[in-house]
Amino acid sequence: MLVLGIESTCDETASAVVQNGRTILSTIVASQIDLHRKYGGVVPELACRRHIDLMIPVIDQALSEANVSLNEIDLIAVAHGPGLIGALLIGLNTAKALALALQKPLIGVNHIEAHLYSPFMSQNDIVPFPCLGVVLSGGHTAMVLIKDGGVYQLMGQTVDDAIGEAFDKAAKLLGLPYPGGPEIERLASKGDPFRFPFKGGQVKGRPLDFSFSGLKTALLYTLKGKPPHHTPLLPLHEQDQCDLAASFQYAACEDIVRKSLLCAETCQVQTLVLGGGVTNNRYLRQLLAQKSQGKYDILWPSLGLSLDNAAMIAGLGYYRYQWQGGGDSMPLEPLARIPF
Ligand code: KG4
Ligand code: ZN
């Protein structure tokens, strides 16, 4: 079954052709980073306009790189949330128009669920259920027990900022460009992770929940001084900046790793599956490998599948279509939020 995937939840316009949920024939991602960088974050209205310009060329390129014609596509899979409503509408309306014109089924895919599906795409072996899924993206941070394909139980989530958002905000405080995650990782590689005693937040009575807003405030106070006594560390020398980035990254990653391992132990699983843009962070990958001491199988997305892409949408769309026993109807709505 050939699935055409379409992704436009935020600031990436993406399309992909995937066969039988696993084999990626093409995956095209047009990033809008250049457009949003000067504003320090995504501007929804600009994102929508850029999606309109890029959507058809990106789909054309995905088809041509896969060497597949539109008529050969069996299913159109589209991310219908969570995301920016205006941005979602561009992908969703394109998918509906194609499905109608081609008389092919349409399937709506949860973008966050697709991030969790992405590490499965490169697995040849069967992954045993239940396993623990950890979503680490720009807008979401959650741990879910994956009981079976498409069957989830929410175990913990952030009560304020998502992990990627925390990286982006920390980078902004350090005067680094958007998106902040890769910039923090780059500086952190030259810094001392133990110079500043930052810590991830704890949520009272909920050991598996996350809170990153305090971590960001700790960084702010270190930089600018704590009110009312403003005794800033500034002017910021290059080494201070690297040490702050390293200490922030350590605190954020240590919190994720400790809670993921606690959750894995609580749920008695053997496998951890991680997805979302922050899984691009090599320090996080190393820390989890080191702290888990070989106790678990750990699955990460392969190159190009961590950040937003349409291959994960097409891949999961294939399975969603089987699980549902058919496609979605045309009134399929864009959703800004989808609870697990
Ligand atoms: O999953 P994603 O592409 O988009 C959402 O669904 O939100 O994640 C984007 C997030 C951004 O916040 C970005 O700063 C972060 O992933 N990110 C990273 C790294 N690469 C991307 N965070 C930390 N380290 C990285 N290397
Ligand atoms: Zn995403």
Side-chain angles (χ1 to χ4, degrees):
M1 188 177 208
L2 285 177
V3 184
L4 177 73
I6 296 177
E7 155 67 37
S8 69
T9 54
C10 189
D11 61 341
E12 262 93 28
T13 318
S15 182
V17 179
V18 174
Q19 191 167 31
N20 297 337
R22 296 277 172 112
T23 311
I24 301 172
L25 301 185
S26 66
T27 171
I28 308 296
V29 181
S31 167
Q32 304 183 1
I33 286 176
D34 58 322
L35 178 68
H36 301 287
R37 186 161 260 178
K38 59 177 174 287
Y39 303 101
V42 178
V43 183
E45 180 61 26
L46 294 181
C48 299
R49 287 167 194 240
R50 186 62 76 87
H51 282 310
I52 293 173
D53 292 342
L54 293 176
M55 187 53 76
I56 302 293
V58 163
I59 292 173
D60 273 343
Q61 198 179 339
L63 290 166
S64 106
E65 285 198 12
N67 207 10
V68 160
S69 75
L70 260 184
N71 284 321
E72 291 173 277
I73 295 291
D74 300 301
L75 173 69
I76 318 272
V78 59
H80 72 120
L84 304 168
I85 285 293
L88 286 165
L89 272 171
I90 313 301
L92 194 55
N93 284 340
T94 309
K96 286 180 180 178
L98 282 171
L100 269 175
L102 299 167
Q103 290 293 298
K104 300 284 161 89
L106 169 81
I107 192 95
V109 171
N110 175 340
H111 173 93
I112 297 304
E113 192 186 351
H115 271 307
L116 273 187
Y117 173 70
S118 63
F120 289 91
M121 291 192 84
S122 35
Q123 288 304 309
N124 292 324
D125 303 334
I126 293 188
V127 179
F129 292 119
C131 57
L132 178 67
V134 185
V135 184
L136 304 170
S137 76
H140 293 82
T141 302
M143 296 191 291
V144 291
L145 179 63
I146 310 178
K147 296 178 169 179
D148 202 347
V151 184
Y152 308 99
Q153 181 184 339
L154 181 66
M155 300 301 298
Q157 62 185 328
T158 182
V159 295
D160 40 55
D161 293 345
I163 177 72
E165 190 182 356
F167 266 93
D168 293 338
K169 286 179 176 172
K172 207 169 188 175
L173 289 173
L174 289 170
L176 302 168
Y178 173 85
E183 297 290 327
I184 296 254
E185 183 177 7
R186 186 176 57 77
L187 287 195
S189 67
K190 297 178 275 180
D192 173 4
F194 305 114
R195 176 164 164 206
F196 299 97
F198 297 146
K199 264 187 98 59
Q202 305 308 312
V203 183
K204 209 172 162 199
R206 285 149 64 186
L208 299 179
D209 277 347
F210 299 94
S211 168
F212 293 110
S213 66
L215 182 56
K216 174 196 64 195
T217 310
L219 175 64
L220 175 73
Y221 286 170
T222 309
L223 277 167
K224 305 227 157 111
K226 193 172 177 177
H229 311 290
H230 294 278
T231 44
L233 187 79
L234 290 169
L236 202 58
H237 296 297
E238 204 183 318
Q239 193 56 49
D240 298 325
Q241 207 182 22
C242 294
D243 292 346
L244 283 165
S247 301
F248 172 87
Q249 178 177 259
Y250 171 72
C253 294
E254 190 276 336
D255 191 63
I256 300 266
V257 165
R258 190 168 32 78
K259 287 173 182 166
S260 300
L261 293 176
L262 175 64
C263 193
E265 203 180 309
T266 310
C267 298
Q268 299 199 317
V269 295
Q270 281 169 4
T271 308
L272 270 74
V273 176
L274 296 99
V278 181
T279 63
N280 250 349
N281 189 291
R282 279 156 298 175
Y283 184 80
L284 173 71
R285 292 187 181 216
Q286 283 159 11
L287 196 67
L288 182 56
Q290 182 201 328
K291 298 272 181 192
S292 60
Q293 299 176 327
K295 217 171 144 192
Y296 301 101
D297 289 326
I298 301 175
L299 309 186
W300 299 95
S302 56
L303 195 72
L305 293 182
S306 280
L307 294 169
D308 288 351
N309 67 86
M312 65 181 190
I313 305 296
L316 181 60
Y318 168 82
Y319 285 99
R320 216 88 330 272
Y321 184 73
Q322 325 285 332
W323 297 332
Q324 264 179 225
D328 285 316
S329 60
M330 277 299 146
L332 180 70
E333 295 277 342
L335 297 170
R337 297 170 155 268
I338 308 181
F340 251 109

